[in-house]
Amino acid sequence: MSWTVTDNGFTQENIAKNGNTFMIGNGYMGYRGTLEEYKKEQLVAVTLAGLYDKVGDKWREPVNAPNGLWTQLYLNHTPLNVLQMDTQQHFQEVDFRFGIHRRQSVFLAPDGNQITFKVERFASMDNLHLLAAKASICCSEACELTVETGIDGEVWDINGPHLDSFHSNASELEQPIVLSAISGELKVPVSIAQSIRLDGGEQELVHSAPSIYRRIRLHCQAGVPYTFESFVSVYSGRDGVAKPEVTAVHDCQQALSQGWDVLRQKHDAKWEEKWALSDVTIEGDEEAQFALRYSIYQLLIIAPTESEKVSIPARGLSGQVYKGAVFWDTEMFMLPFFLHTDPGTARNIMMYRCHTLEGARRKATEYGFEGAFYAWESQDSGDDACTLFNVTDVFTGRPMRTYFRDKQVHISADVARGIWQYYSFTGDESILLEGGAEVILEVARFFYSYAYYNTAKERYEILDVTGPDEYHERVNNNAFTNYLVKQALEITLETINLLKERHPEVFTALVEKINYQRELVAIPLMLSSMYVPLPDLTTGVIEQFDRYNTLEEVSVKALKERMLDKHEYLGGGNGLATTTKVLKQADVVLMLHLFKDHFVKSIKQANWEYYEPRTEHGSSLSPCVYALVASDIGSPDWAYPYFMRTATIDLTGESKQYVGNLYIGGTHPAANGGAWMAAILGFAGVHFHNGVVHIQPAMPKDWTSIGFSLKILGQSYTLRVTADQVEVISLDDNTRSQSFCVAGRELECVAGQFLIVNDLTQDQRSTEEASVG
């Protein structure tokens, strides 16, 4: 089974797409899948997690560091690169088992000389500050080549420039060379050091502000390969080191002393550990297997494994799109993967929300509310980076007022849900004691201050909001939002009870700290009268929001035929979809997935069948939800196309690239997480609820089996699921038993046990037990 994505040949049109598809990273930084000779015009980016900058009135966005792996070849002063010279042969690929980017180009000179240029590179999973590359050059005829390689300070920015005061202390042929700069807004230093190991050649150092590089002259013999290894270290003032430049130099020196082979071995070993926890094996469908593993790879290269001060942005670390901000996507579509496979990273993701609580409080105050109103687009401080005018009208060129920032209040409920999910999956109360409980209580306070009490109907309502379906803004009682708000209130009461029972001193101190006496009375009363829309008694359909049923009935196809510009935005004040029942993405259907235990199959099916033809899927978050609910109702044939659409999104590049005139390209980590969810929570039917692991498979017809690992309440399990059998292995080093419910049969699995449940489609199911080993 292949683990390599390859693109043969070169076309200018694929530069942006390949930058996403062939990306490497390690959670600290992302390195776009660009070629060594590329400059900022080709969207080269070394995007640093958690470091942001704002220039004037432009949008605040992540800082891209200078590129320390820039390399350009010359033959007789003629540049050898794919942008200016045809190639006899060229390919670019990424090995996503080990996060290795490769390229090979064969250039044909006018005199017939063939120059082959090969490069491998990786972003180290062993030392997250390190990039490493190994290049080789071979000529068919003897010649003199010039290689320029070093640190390119011409950085690609969307709303920059974000770095200034560039300086380098490197003298002639100093090892390593260093380029340092300072961010404009917060004055954070950023340093990049590069060292090389070279076979021969004559070197000189070139300062070409803001860049610094080596110029190497090689006297090449025919058929003899010349190799050099490059090591790049990146540090900023946010990394907890006193002098980023000194630390970067030290890292480079250490890397140089170890060399490529040793660094690669350490890097590969870390990848082996990651895949041991997260790999999913599918038998019977190689295309699905390939796409799902690639989706998992995209999650692993952006995971914040070492810091709880950062989370995962909506476009990962593939650049500055969407301001590099963290959305609700993270809790809803990425967190489940980490909860089931890497709880430590899941904790970091949710602790980020604890660290940004003050930003959420500031936003609530800004809008006249109390508690924590979390940012729709969150960056380092938790203040909302989302503007009031996010989309440009393609006809007038004027910015359009949107209500993402101020009306998508469900974001706060998503955060509270995520924190409680982490606690439920791990039993780790420390997250509640180290800020999580305070977040949850402040979220409930926000909703108490936001809600409207309808005296005529004697109920609390959530009015004037925007749900996941952003084509319909400022609606009342959006079903998704109301159910999430109710759950947030329930979580708050559970949190209060937990603290009272197990940590009474912490509870008393917290209530005093945030002056929560009023809410201790008000929240239970609000919960008892909280309105949530119920299924229609005749059709079973849950109305997406008040008066949704009065909107125009039109098909998605017919609506799109009304469009005058392919990029026009369908939402906003006067978008074509706003007065119709056409929705941007799964809304009610997503709620049915989140609250699957609240509704019977017939209700889920009625809503799936009603909303599916009305959904435009204008968001990459949408298809996986339809896959999940289709699996839940036992219709994997409905689910499979949506799963594949989700799992292949960053392989095909077939996703919406513009909203109005706003470019929204990049990788899609929420869809990557959604692919994992569709496979494990959907087809394999895994559902952890009230301390029990439920398994109810709904396998695609071509899948023989699906195998995967789970981490539940600190214990490790490996599972293999087929259409009519489930195998569960509890690892020997587990310390407690775990309850499983397989197709309705309740079982207790102890450490070292091997359970097999057969005949899942029969009323009488057989169970075999064995001891592992």
Side-chain angles (χ1 to χ4, degrees):
M1 178 67 201
S2 173
W3 291 72
T4 303
V5 183
T6 304
D7 183 33
N8 289 297
F10 171 79
T11 57
Q12 292 267 1
E13 294 75 18
N14 283 344
I15 288 177
K17 171 185 174 295
N18 287 354
N20 302 321
T21 301
F22 299 109
M23 180 180 156
I24 58 175
N26 57 21
Y28 173 79
M29 57 183 159
Y31 194 110
R32 284 177 59 80
T34 50
L35 300 180
E36 283 64 30
E37 60 266 41
Y38 284 0
K39 306 281 283 184
K40 66 180 182 180
E41 293 77 14
Q42 289 75 45
L43 314 186
V44 175
V46 184
T47 304
L48 304 182
L51 179 58
Y52 295 89
D53 185 70
K54 180 178 173 62
V55 176
D57 294 330
K58 297 179 183 179
W59 287 355
R60 200 166 186 264
E61 62 191 11
V63 171
N64 286 336
N67 175 23
L69 293 178
W70 176 78
T71 303
Q72 173 64 65
L73 308 185
Y74 295 89
L75 175 65
N76 299 324
H77 305 291
T78 300
L80 304 178
N81 70 50
V82 295
L83 300 169
Q84 297 172 269
M85 179 179 287
D86 292 335
T87 56
Q88 275 197 319
Q89 183 262 334
H90 171 81
F91 74 82
Q92 180 181 7
E93 67 182 24
V94 65
D95 172 353
F96 55 84
R97 183 173 185 180
F98 295 112
I100 305 295
H101 179 279
R102 300 187 186 94
R103 68 85 61 88
Q104 178 173 312
S105 304
V106 180
F107 300 100
L108 180 63
D111 62 1
N113 195 354
Q114 295 179 348
I115 298 96
T116 301
F117 184 40
K118 301 179 183 179
V119 186
E120 289 189 357
R121 68 171 182 248
F122 63 86
S124 175
M125 281 292 187
D126 181 61
N127 177 352
L128 302 188
H129 296 271
L130 186 67
L131 296 165
K134 183 176 183 179
S136 71
I137 304 166
C138 189
C139 305
S140 63
E141 300 176 15
C143 66
E144 183 176 295
L145 285 178
T146 300
V147 180
E148 292 180 349
T149 183
I151 307 170
D152 179 14
E154 294 282 353
V155 177
W156 169 50
D157 288 314
I158 296 177
N159 291 286
H162 296 297
L163 296 175
D164 55 33
S165 303
F166 285 89
H167 66 278
S168 173
N169 297 328
S171 59
E172 198 71 17
L173 300 182
E174 183 176 342
Q175 183 81 276
I177 59 174
V178 186
L179 184 66
S180 296
I182 299 175
S183 69
E185 178 191 10
L186 300 178
K187 308 303 179 187
V188 178
V190 177
S191 293
I192 300 88
Q194 187 231 37
S195 56
I196 65 170
R197 175 178 290 171
L198 176 68
D199 292 344
E202 303 164 6
Q203 297 186 45
E204 64 175 308
L205 200 61
V206 179
H207 293 264
S208 179
S211 305
I212 179 172
Y213 56 88
R214 294 178 176 84
R215 181 175 292 139
I216 306 163
R217 291 180 177 83
L218 297 176
H219 303 283
C220 300
Q221 300 178 32
V224 178
Y226 292 81
T227 65
F228 63 93
E229 300 171 0
S230 301
F231 309 105
V232 175
S233 185
V234 182
Y235 276 87
S236 83
R238 290 292 180 91
D239 293 331
V241 297
K243 297 181 178 179
E245 182 172 314
V246 172
T247 307
V249 168
H250 177 265
D251 266 21
C252 258
Q253 291 170 333
Q254 290 290 104
L256 185 64
S257 67
Q258 294 179 75
W260 167 271
D261 291 340
V262 171
L263 294 173
R264 173 69 194 274
Q265 288 171 6
K266 292 181 177 181
H267 170 75
D268 287 359
K270 291 293 184 181
W271 271 105
E272 293 283 11
E273 293 175 9
K274 291 179 180 296
W275 283 115
L277 296 173
S278 60
D279 191 22
V280 177
T281 58
I282 298 170
E283 295 180 14
D285 189 342
E286 288 194 2
E287 184 180 2
Q289 173 72 91
F290 185 85
L292 182 55
R293 277 179 169 158
Y294 179 78
S295 295
I296 294 171
Y297 164 77
Q298 286 286 353
L299 292 170
L300 294 177
I301 63 175
I302 57 176
T305 56
E306 299 296 327
S307 175
E308 60 182 40
K309 297 294 184 66
V310 299
S311 184
I312 303 178
R315 287 292 181 261
L317 297 176
S318 64
Q320 297 164 325
V321 167
Y322 281 143
K323 312 180 190 82
V326 179
F327 287 67
W328 73 303
D329 309 24
T330 309
E331 282 78 13
M332 204 59 63
F333 298 96
M334 303 177 223
L335 181 64
F337 167 76
F338 295 105
L339 283 174
H340 289 82
T341 63
D342 183 5
T345 296
R347 189 183 195 279
N348 286 345
I349 288 171
M350 295 321 305
M351 282 301 298
Y352 162 80
R353 295 297 193 179
C354 298
H355 290 299
T356 53
L357 173 59
E358 289 306 316
R361 283 177 168 140
R362 287 191 289 270
K363 181 179 175 182
T365 300
E366 175 189 350
Y367 284 101
F369 302 113
E370 300 175 15
F373 184 5
Y374 270 86
W376 186 243
E377 299 179 6
S378 184
Q379 296 178 338
D380 49 349
S381 68
D383 293 287
D384 207 328
C386 186
T387 65
L388 300 180
F389 297 85
N390 284 277
V391 181
T392 300
D393 188 309
V394 296
F395 303 111
T396 66
R398 294 173 178 169
M400 297 170 58
R401 175 67 159 99
T402 54
Y403 292 89
F404 307 150
R405 186 186 202 273
D406 39 356
K407 299 301 178 182
Q408 291 193 286
V409 300
H410 68 80
I411 178 62
S412 287
D414 304 335
V415 170
R417 172 187 169 85
I419 292 172
W420 191 253
Q421 273 195 305
Y422 171 78
Y423 163 68
S424 300
F425 268 78
T426 64
D428 177 12
E429 295 179 3
S430 70
I431 194 169
L432 300 175
L433 304 179
E434 294 174 19
E438 187 171 353
V439 168
I440 289 170
L441 268 60
E442 289 287 43
V443 163
R445 172 181 268 163
F446 165 68
F447 285 123
Y448 179 67
S449 71
Y450 189 94
Y452 165 73
Y453 186 71
N454 187 323
T455 54
K457 296 181 179 180
E458 297 182 330
R459 68 189 190 188
Y460 282 94
E461 300 179 345
I462 307 298
L463 309 181
D464 194 15
V465 300
T466 302
D469 169 23
E470 294 172 330
Y471 290 165
H472 297 95
E473 299 179 328
R474 306 195 70 172
V475 302
N476 295 333
N477 292 316
N478 168 257
F480 174 90
T481 302
N482 283 32
Y483 274 90
L484 265 293
V485 170
K486 183 177 181 181
Q487 184 185 51
L489 300 178
E490 293 169 342
I491 288 171
T492 301
L493 296 188
E494 290 193 64
T495 301
I496 289 171
N497 289 335
L498 184 151
L499 292 181
K500 280 183 176 179
E501 292 175 8
R502 302 184 193 175
H503 308 281
E505 293 181 358
V506 173
F507 171 73
T508 301
L510 179 58
V511 169
E512 286 190 17
K513 174 187 175 184
I514 64 176
N515 192 23
Y516 210 70
Q517 291 82 1
R518 179 193 65 172
E519 284 77 12
L520 291 178
V521 177
I523 299 303
L525 294 175
M526 180 180 175
L527 175 60
S528 66
S529 302
M530 181 66 210
Y531 168 66
V532 291
L534 298 175
D536 181 85
L537 294 177
T538 301
T539 66
V541 173
I542 300 171
E543 191 175 22
Q544 184 173 297
F545 51 82
D546 291 352
R547 298 186 59 76
Y548 171 84
N549 291 335
T550 68
L551 300 176
E552 180 188 1
E553 189 69 83
V554 62
S555 70
V556 174
K557 181 176 182 295
L559 182 74
K560 289 194 170 184
E561 289 173 352
R562 301 175 183 177
M563 296 175 68
L564 301 179
D565 186 296
K566 66 179 181 180
H567 294 318
E568 67 178 282
Y569 182 51
L570 297 178
N574 57 357
L576 290 175
T578 58
T579 57
T580 77
K581 291 185 178 180
V582 172
L583 47 147
K584 178 181 178 181
Q585 66 196 77
D587 197 304
V588 169
V589 176
L590 176 56
M591 182 273 291
L592 292 173
H593 164 65
L594 299 180
F595 299 94
K596 61 192 300 178
D597 299 308
H598 290 54
F599 301 96
V600 298
K601 175 183 175 180
S602 60
I603 297 299
K604 298 173 191 175
Q605 182 162 336
N607 283 272
W608 197 100
E609 293 179 348
Y610 181 82
Y611 284 109
E612 189 275 337
R614 294 168 173 81
T615 305
E616 190 250 344
H617 299 295
S619 167
S620 61
L621 310 181
S622 189
C624 71
V625 178
Y626 280 93
L628 283 159
V629 177
S631 297
D632 188 27
I633 61 178
S635 299
D637 53 331
W638 295 0
Y640 185 79
Y642 284 113
F643 162 73
M644 288 302 294
R645 181 172 172 180
T646 299
T648 60
I649 188 169
D650 287 325
L651 291 169
T652 64
E654 295 174 0
S655 62
K656 185 172 285 190
Q657 299 294 301
Y658 288 89
V659 173
N661 288 327
L662 176 66
Y663 175 67
I664 59 170
T667 58
H668 298 78
N672 303 142
W676 182 91
M677 291 167 65
I680 305 304
L681 310 186
F683 297 139
V686 173
H687 176 48
F688 182 67
H689 181 63
N690 288 339
V692 179
V693 180
H694 298 261
I695 303 175
Q696 184 70 56
M699 299 280 281
K701 65 181 187 304
D702 293 332
W703 289 22
T704 305
S705 70
I706 180 170
F708 51 95
S709 298
L710 293 180
K711 297 275 284 188
I712 300 290
L713 295 173
Q715 314 300 299
S716 300
Y717 305 89
T718 59
L719 292 87
R720 182 176 181 271
V721 176
T722 71
D724 58 4
Q725 184 182 83
V726 172
E727 300 174 2
V728 180
I729 298 176
S730 176
L731 301 193
D732 286 332
D733 57 358
N734 286 344
T735 58
R736 60 181 296 276
S737 64
Q738 172 61 48
S739 297
F740 284 80
C741 182
V742 180
R745 176 91 177 242
E746 294 186 7
L747 308 162
E748 199 71 18
C749 189
V750 300
Q753 194 171 22
F754 182 11
L755 292 179
I756 302 177
V757 182
N758 294 305
D759 303 323
L760 302 185
T761 58
Q762 304 299 317
D763 289 335
Q764 296 297 320
R765 300 174 177 87
S766 64
T767 304
E768 301 174 12
E769 300 181 10
S771 204
V772 178

